Short mmCIF file of all heavy atoms in Angstrom, two decimals:
data_model
loop_
_atom_site.label_atom_id
_atom_site.label_comp_id
_atom_site.label_asym_id
_atom_site.label_seq_id
_atom_site.Cartn_x
_atom_site.Cartn_y
_atom_site.Cartn_z
N TYR V 167 90.74 -18.11 -4.03
CA TYR V 167 90.94 -16.63 -4.03
C TYR V 167 91.40 -16.14 -2.69
O TYR V 167 91.61 -15.00 -2.43
CB TYR V 167 89.63 -15.99 -4.31
CG TYR V 167 88.92 -16.29 -5.55
CD1 TYR V 167 87.67 -16.87 -5.66
CD2 TYR V 167 89.66 -16.16 -6.83
CE1 TYR V 167 87.07 -17.19 -6.90
CE2 TYR V 167 89.03 -16.53 -8.06
CZ TYR V 167 87.74 -17.07 -8.03
OH TYR V 167 87.19 -17.43 -9.29
N THR V 168 91.81 -17.15 -1.78
CA THR V 168 92.30 -16.80 -0.44
C THR V 168 93.79 -16.34 -0.60
O THR V 168 94.59 -16.85 -1.47
CB THR V 168 92.29 -18.02 0.47
OG1 THR V 168 90.99 -18.44 0.45
CG2 THR V 168 92.85 -17.71 1.87
N ASP V 169 94.15 -15.30 0.14
CA ASP V 169 95.55 -14.86 0.13
C ASP V 169 96.37 -16.06 0.53
O ASP V 169 96.29 -16.82 1.47
CB ASP V 169 95.79 -13.70 1.13
CG ASP V 169 95.26 -12.43 0.71
OD1 ASP V 169 94.91 -12.33 -0.48
OD2 ASP V 169 94.97 -11.53 1.45
N ILE V 170 97.54 -16.27 -0.27
CA ILE V 170 98.45 -17.45 -0.06
C ILE V 170 99.05 -17.42 1.37
O ILE V 170 99.07 -18.34 2.03
CB ILE V 170 99.59 -17.40 -1.05
CG1 ILE V 170 98.98 -17.77 -2.43
CG2 ILE V 170 100.62 -18.45 -0.67
CD1 ILE V 170 99.89 -17.74 -3.59
N ASP V 171 99.22 -16.08 1.94
CA ASP V 171 99.79 -16.04 3.27
C ASP V 171 98.78 -16.51 4.39
O ASP V 171 99.20 -16.87 5.47
CB ASP V 171 100.14 -14.64 3.62
CG ASP V 171 101.38 -14.13 2.82
OD1 ASP V 171 102.09 -14.92 2.22
OD2 ASP V 171 101.47 -12.89 2.66
N GLU V 172 97.45 -16.68 3.96
CA GLU V 172 96.45 -16.95 4.91
C GLU V 172 96.27 -18.57 5.01
O GLU V 172 95.78 -19.12 5.88
CB GLU V 172 95.12 -16.43 4.58
CG GLU V 172 95.02 -14.89 4.75
CD GLU V 172 95.17 -14.54 6.26
OE1 GLU V 172 94.45 -15.15 7.01
OE2 GLU V 172 95.86 -13.55 6.56
N LEU V 173 96.85 -19.29 3.97
CA LEU V 173 96.70 -20.65 3.88
C LEU V 173 97.21 -21.51 5.11
O LEU V 173 96.62 -22.60 5.36
CB LEU V 173 97.22 -21.28 2.61
CG LEU V 173 96.42 -20.74 1.29
CD1 LEU V 173 97.23 -21.24 0.07
CD2 LEU V 173 95.10 -21.09 1.16
N ALA V 174 98.27 -20.95 5.64
CA ALA V 174 98.89 -21.68 6.81
C ALA V 174 97.98 -21.82 7.93
O ALA V 174 98.15 -22.68 8.77
CB ALA V 174 100.19 -20.99 7.20
N ARG V 175 96.98 -20.91 8.03
CA ARG V 175 96.07 -20.89 9.25
C ARG V 175 94.76 -21.53 8.87
O ARG V 175 93.79 -21.41 9.70
CB ARG V 175 95.87 -19.42 9.52
CG ARG V 175 97.07 -18.81 10.26
CD ARG V 175 96.75 -17.35 10.69
NE ARG V 175 96.72 -16.41 9.62
CZ ARG V 175 97.89 -15.94 8.97
NH1 ARG V 175 99.14 -16.20 9.49
NH2 ARG V 175 97.83 -15.01 8.04
N VAL V 176 94.54 -22.14 7.73
CA VAL V 176 93.27 -22.81 7.38
C VAL V 176 93.01 -23.98 8.42
O VAL V 176 93.91 -24.76 8.79
CB VAL V 176 93.50 -23.49 5.94
CG1 VAL V 176 92.43 -24.45 5.66
CG2 VAL V 176 93.32 -22.18 4.94
N THR V 177 91.77 -24.03 8.80
CA THR V 177 91.33 -25.12 9.65
C THR V 177 90.69 -26.26 8.85
O THR V 177 90.27 -26.15 7.74
CB THR V 177 90.30 -24.53 10.58
OG1 THR V 177 89.08 -24.29 9.96
CG2 THR V 177 90.75 -23.36 11.46
N PRO V 178 90.62 -27.48 9.53
CA PRO V 178 90.03 -28.59 8.83
C PRO V 178 88.64 -28.30 8.49
O PRO V 178 88.14 -28.64 7.40
CB PRO V 178 90.07 -29.71 9.93
CG PRO V 178 91.33 -29.39 10.67
CD PRO V 178 91.39 -27.95 10.79
N ALA V 179 87.81 -27.57 9.32
CA ALA V 179 86.37 -27.29 8.95
C ALA V 179 86.36 -26.45 7.75
O ALA V 179 85.46 -26.56 6.87
CB ALA V 179 85.76 -26.47 10.11
N GLN V 180 87.35 -25.48 7.51
CA GLN V 180 87.29 -24.67 6.31
C GLN V 180 87.68 -25.46 5.11
O GLN V 180 87.12 -25.32 4.02
CB GLN V 180 88.30 -23.48 6.53
CG GLN V 180 87.80 -22.45 7.48
CD GLN V 180 88.93 -21.46 7.84
OE1 GLN V 180 90.18 -21.84 7.94
NE2 GLN V 180 88.64 -20.14 7.91
N ALA V 181 88.58 -26.44 5.28
CA ALA V 181 89.30 -27.19 4.09
C ALA V 181 88.16 -28.18 3.54
O ALA V 181 88.16 -28.57 2.43
CB ALA V 181 90.43 -28.00 4.55
N VAL V 182 87.20 -28.73 4.47
CA VAL V 182 86.36 -29.71 4.03
C VAL V 182 85.04 -29.06 3.35
O VAL V 182 84.24 -29.77 2.88
CB VAL V 182 85.96 -30.68 5.11
CG1 VAL V 182 87.14 -31.50 5.60
CG2 VAL V 182 85.24 -30.00 6.23
N ALA V 183 84.88 -27.76 3.55
CA ALA V 183 83.73 -27.05 3.05
C ALA V 183 83.85 -26.72 1.57
O ALA V 183 84.10 -25.53 1.18
CB ALA V 183 83.53 -25.69 3.85
N HIS V 184 83.63 -27.71 0.72
CA HIS V 184 83.82 -27.56 -0.70
C HIS V 184 82.67 -26.66 -1.20
O HIS V 184 81.56 -26.91 -0.85
CB HIS V 184 83.96 -28.80 -1.48
CG HIS V 184 84.36 -28.73 -2.79
ND1 HIS V 184 83.63 -28.35 -3.84
CD2 HIS V 184 85.64 -29.10 -3.25
CE1 HIS V 184 84.39 -28.37 -4.99
NE2 HIS V 184 85.65 -28.77 -4.58
N PRO V 185 82.95 -25.79 -2.11
CA PRO V 185 81.98 -24.83 -2.63
C PRO V 185 80.94 -25.40 -3.57
O PRO V 185 79.80 -24.89 -3.65
CB PRO V 185 82.70 -23.74 -3.31
CG PRO V 185 84.03 -24.36 -3.83
CD PRO V 185 84.32 -25.35 -2.61
N ASN V 186 81.26 -26.62 -4.21
CA ASN V 186 80.43 -27.28 -5.18
C ASN V 186 79.97 -28.64 -4.93
O ASN V 186 78.84 -29.02 -5.21
CB ASN V 186 81.11 -27.11 -6.49
CG ASN V 186 81.52 -25.74 -6.94
OD1 ASN V 186 80.92 -24.81 -6.55
ND2 ASN V 186 82.45 -25.61 -7.89
N TRP V 187 80.88 -29.46 -4.38
CA TRP V 187 80.66 -30.94 -4.35
C TRP V 187 80.44 -31.29 -2.82
O TRP V 187 80.99 -30.77 -1.87
CB TRP V 187 81.91 -31.67 -4.87
CG TRP V 187 82.06 -31.54 -6.24
CD1 TRP V 187 82.87 -30.60 -6.93
CD2 TRP V 187 81.51 -32.32 -7.47
NE1 TRP V 187 82.92 -30.78 -8.30
CE2 TRP V 187 82.06 -31.91 -8.62
CE3 TRP V 187 80.68 -33.38 -7.43
CZ2 TRP V 187 81.70 -32.37 -9.82
CZ3 TRP V 187 80.32 -33.95 -8.62
CH2 TRP V 187 80.84 -33.48 -9.86
N SER V 188 79.61 -32.34 -2.58
CA SER V 188 79.44 -33.00 -1.33
C SER V 188 80.23 -34.32 -1.34
O SER V 188 79.94 -35.25 -2.08
CB SER V 188 77.92 -33.40 -1.11
OG SER V 188 77.77 -34.06 0.05
N MET V 189 81.33 -34.29 -0.49
CA MET V 189 82.33 -35.35 -0.53
C MET V 189 82.68 -35.68 0.82
O MET V 189 82.44 -34.98 1.82
CB MET V 189 83.53 -34.96 -1.41
CG MET V 189 83.12 -34.58 -2.87
SD MET V 189 84.70 -34.19 -3.74
CE MET V 189 85.19 -32.67 -2.99
N GLY V 190 83.44 -36.69 1.01
CA GLY V 190 84.03 -37.09 2.27
C GLY V 190 85.11 -36.18 2.74
O GLY V 190 85.70 -35.40 1.90
N ALA V 191 85.52 -36.35 3.97
CA ALA V 191 86.54 -35.39 4.49
C ALA V 191 87.96 -35.49 3.80
O ALA V 191 88.49 -34.43 3.40
CB ALA V 191 86.84 -35.63 6.02
N LYS V 192 88.35 -36.64 3.58
CA LYS V 192 89.76 -36.82 2.87
C LYS V 192 89.70 -36.27 1.54
O LYS V 192 90.67 -35.47 1.21
CB LYS V 192 90.11 -38.23 2.94
CG LYS V 192 91.54 -38.58 2.66
CD LYS V 192 91.86 -38.69 1.26
CE LYS V 192 93.40 -39.01 0.93
NZ LYS V 192 93.75 -39.20 -0.55
N ILE V 193 88.74 -36.58 0.67
CA ILE V 193 88.79 -36.08 -0.72
C ILE V 193 88.54 -34.55 -0.76
O ILE V 193 89.03 -33.80 -1.53
CB ILE V 193 87.80 -36.88 -1.62
CG1 ILE V 193 87.81 -36.38 -3.09
CG2 ILE V 193 86.38 -36.64 -1.05
CD1 ILE V 193 89.07 -36.72 -3.71
N SER V 194 87.77 -34.13 0.31
CA SER V 194 87.50 -32.64 0.32
C SER V 194 88.74 -31.88 0.73
O SER V 194 89.12 -30.77 0.13
CB SER V 194 86.57 -32.27 1.41
OG SER V 194 85.27 -32.88 1.06
N VAL V 195 89.66 -32.39 1.51
CA VAL V 195 90.88 -31.79 1.81
C VAL V 195 91.80 -31.80 0.52
O VAL V 195 92.49 -30.94 0.17
CB VAL V 195 91.58 -32.44 3.00
CG1 VAL V 195 93.05 -31.82 3.19
CG2 VAL V 195 90.74 -32.15 4.35
N ASP V 196 91.84 -33.12 -0.09
CA ASP V 196 92.60 -33.24 -1.33
C ASP V 196 92.16 -32.17 -2.37
O ASP V 196 93.00 -31.67 -3.23
CB ASP V 196 92.44 -34.66 -1.87
CG ASP V 196 93.19 -35.65 -1.08
OD1 ASP V 196 94.10 -35.22 -0.20
OD2 ASP V 196 93.02 -36.81 -1.32
N SER V 197 90.83 -31.91 -2.47
CA SER V 197 90.41 -30.88 -3.39
C SER V 197 90.91 -29.54 -3.06
O SER V 197 91.30 -28.72 -3.85
CB SER V 197 88.96 -30.93 -3.41
OG SER V 197 88.43 -29.90 -4.34
N ALA V 198 91.01 -29.24 -1.66
CA ALA V 198 91.45 -27.87 -1.24
C ALA V 198 92.92 -27.71 -1.55
O ALA V 198 93.30 -26.60 -1.84
CB ALA V 198 91.16 -27.82 0.36
N THR V 199 93.74 -28.79 -1.49
CA THR V 199 95.09 -28.67 -1.74
C THR V 199 95.35 -28.83 -3.21
O THR V 199 96.48 -28.63 -3.75
CB THR V 199 95.95 -29.72 -1.04
OG1 THR V 199 95.62 -31.01 -1.53
CG2 THR V 199 95.78 -29.70 0.50
N MET V 200 94.39 -29.32 -3.95
CA MET V 200 94.39 -29.69 -5.42
C MET V 200 95.27 -30.88 -5.64
O MET V 200 95.59 -31.12 -6.87
CB MET V 200 94.78 -28.49 -6.23
CG MET V 200 93.50 -27.67 -6.61
SD MET V 200 93.68 -26.65 -8.11
CE MET V 200 93.38 -27.82 -9.34
N ILE V 201 95.66 -31.67 -4.59
CA ILE V 201 96.43 -32.75 -4.92
C ILE V 201 95.53 -33.87 -5.57
O ILE V 201 95.87 -34.78 -6.25
CB ILE V 201 97.14 -33.50 -3.65
CG1 ILE V 201 98.21 -34.49 -4.13
CG2 ILE V 201 96.07 -34.17 -2.77
CD1 ILE V 201 99.12 -34.98 -3.16
N ASN V 202 94.25 -33.68 -5.37
CA ASN V 202 93.19 -34.63 -6.01
C ASN V 202 93.31 -34.45 -7.47
O ASN V 202 93.26 -35.44 -8.21
CB ASN V 202 91.70 -34.37 -5.56
CG ASN V 202 91.14 -33.12 -6.17
OD1 ASN V 202 91.81 -32.04 -6.15
ND2 ASN V 202 90.02 -33.16 -6.68
#
């Protein structure tokens, strides 16, 4: 639900904070980008 224009300023700490799952850092970022 984040404004698309805000995504360029996302930090690693924000990207790894998955709302539902507890996962490692790499897979959490992959979930945030949805490449997972």
Side-chain angles (χ1 to χ4, degrees):
Y167 303 122
T168 303
D169 287 343
I170 292 176
D171 292 342
E172 295 292 318
L173 294 177
R175 291 182 284 277
V176 162
T177 67
Q180 292 171 317
V182 301
H184 196 281
N186 302 338
W187 294 92
S188 175
M189 304 181 292
K192 196 269 182 183
I193 185 63
S194 295
V195 175
D196 283 351
S197 179
T199 67
M200 274 199 83
I201 197 169
N202 76 312

